[in-house]
Amino acid sequence: YHVFFQKNANGPYMSRLHWGHISSENLYKWKEEKIAIDPSEPYDIKGCWSGFVYADDEFTKGKPYIFYTAVDNARATIAQATPADDDLINWNKRPDNPVINGCPPGMSSDFRDPYMFKSNGKYYMIVGSSKDNLGATTLHRYNPVSGTWSNDGSIFFKAKNASISGTFWEMSNITPMGDRWLFTTTPLNSGRQGVEVQYWTGNINDDGTFTPLPFFTNQPQEVELGDFGKDGFGLLSPSITNCDGKTIAIGIVPDK
C-alpha cells in the first residue's frame, strides 16, 4: 500500500511542497520512502502541490500516474509523473510538462487540485478554480490520438450561490456510486465558520459535464461528522475511493 502526501522536509510550512511517500504491507506498520516528486523544474520550482494518482489498464497500462499542481514564480499548471520502478520509489516527470498549461481564459488565476475520471469510455480531468466569483471546476477532455488535454474554458460544474458554496472550489472529486456520481468539493469564502465539504449527486453528461439530481439543484449537502467536529470545523479535502462495494473518504479533521 502506498500513501502520498504534501510534505516540506524543513518543517510544517506551506511553501515549496514536495510529495512525500510512505508504504506498508499491512496498513499498520509504515515505512517512509524517499520523496516521490520535488520542485526541480522551472514549471514547479515553487512547489509540487496537491493532485491525484490514477491507474487503469488502458490509460496507464496498469501503472499509477501522478498528476499534480505545479507552481512556478507566477502561475499554476498541471504536470504528470510516471513510476520508474515497480516499487514506486523513483518517479520521472513527463518531459513535455505541463500537460495543462495554466488556467483557461475566463477563470480565476487560482487553479489547482486536478482529479481524473472516466465516463462512457472517455477520459476527463477537473481542476478547482473560480468563475464569475463563484466556486467552479474546469473540465479538460483527453484526446487519445494526440495524447493531449483540452483547455478551452469548459466548466464541469459551478456554484450558484457564493454565500452557500463559496467563491472558489478546491480539492474537488468525482466518484461513481452505482448508476450515479458523487461530486464533492471544499468551498472557500462561503461566509461560514470553519471548514466543510459539500456534495451533490447526479449524472455525467455525454460532453463530460455534471448535472446534479433535482434534489441538489439549489442546495448542496454537507459531509457531516456528527459530534466529532466543533464550531463548524469538520472534514476537509477528502480523498475518495470505491472499495469492496463501499465508498470511503479519507480526509483532514482540523484540530479545533
Side-chain angles (χ1 to χ4, degrees):
Y1 300 93
H2 298 267
V3 172
F4 300 96
F5 58 97
Q6 296 279 263
K7 174 179 179 175
N8 183 326
N10 294 317
Y13 311 123
M14 290 289 286
S15 63
R16 295 201 75 236
L17 288 187
H18 301 51
W19 273 46
H21 180 195
I22 57 176
S23 67
S24 174
E25 295 181 356
N26 49 35
L27 293 178
Y28 68 86
K29 184 177 180 181
W30 292 87
K31 175 186 177 184
E32 183 159 11
E33 308 287 359
K34 64 181 287 188
I35 287 171
I37 51 176
D38 63 280
S40 61
E41 304 297 330
Y43 57 81
D44 64 11
I45 197 65
K46 281 295 186 73
C48 303
W49 295 75
S50 292
F52 68 100
V53 178
Y54 184 86
D56 71 4
D57 291 336
E58 181 183 352
F59 190 90
T60 72
K61 304 299 187 289
K63 295 183 179 293
Y65 285 7
I66 287 175
F67 293 84
Y68 65 97
T69 308
V71 181
D72 63 13
N73 288 305
R75 65 197 183 104
T77 60
I78 307 303
Q80 176 184 325
T82 56
D85 51 64
D86 291 338
D87 292 330
L88 311 185
I89 303 301
N90 298 293
W91 293 78
N92 296 321
K93 295 178 183 178
R94 184 163 160 167
D96 58 346
N97 271 336
V99 295
I100 298 177
N101 194 25
C103 191
M107 307 293 294
S108 160
S109 60
D110 205 351
F111 179 67
R112 61 178 184 265
D113 311 333
Y115 194 82
M116 182 176 165
F117 69 99
K118 183 180 182 181
S119 176
N120 296 320
K122 298 178 181 179
Y123 292 98
Y124 303 96
M125 195 183 301
I126 58 175
V127 184
S129 191
S130 174
K131 185 175 179 64
D132 303 325
N133 210 35
L134 293 167
T137 47
T138 59
L139 177 67
H140 308 270
R141 302 175 177 91
Y142 182 70
N143 184 329
V145 176
S146 63
T148 59
W149 296 90
S150 68
N151 194 25
D152 57 11
S154 295
I155 299 298
F156 175 73
F157 187 51
K158 184 177 113 174
K160 287 191 172 183
N161 187 315
S163 64
I164 295 175
S165 297
T167 62
F168 183 88
W169 281 354
E170 65 178 8
M171 301 301 295
S172 299
N173 284 257
I174 183 72
T175 308
M177 294 183 68
D179 60 351
R180 295 287 185 262
W181 291 79
L182 169 71
F183 174 73
T184 62
T185 196
T186 300
L188 302 183
N189 306 318
S190 67
R192 300 187 180 189
Q193 182 181 11
V195 297
E196 63 177 345
V197 171
Q198 293 184 350
Y199 72 90
W200 295 254
T201 60
N203 299 301
I204 302 296
N205 304 312
D206 290 340
D207 62 355
T209 57
F210 177 75
T211 300
L213 296 176
F215 174 80
F216 293 91
T217 300
N218 295 310
Q219 184 68 44
Q221 300 300 297
E222 183 177 350
V223 177
E224 301 286 352
L225 290 181
D227 294 331
F228 201 98
K230 181 181 179 183
D231 297 336
F233 285 80
L235 186 68
L236 174 65
S237 302
S239 297
I240 303 176
T241 189
N242 292 315
C243 182
D244 299 331
K246 297 179 180 180
T247 301
I248 302 170
I250 301 174
I252 303 165
V253 179
D255 59 6
K256 182 158 186 172

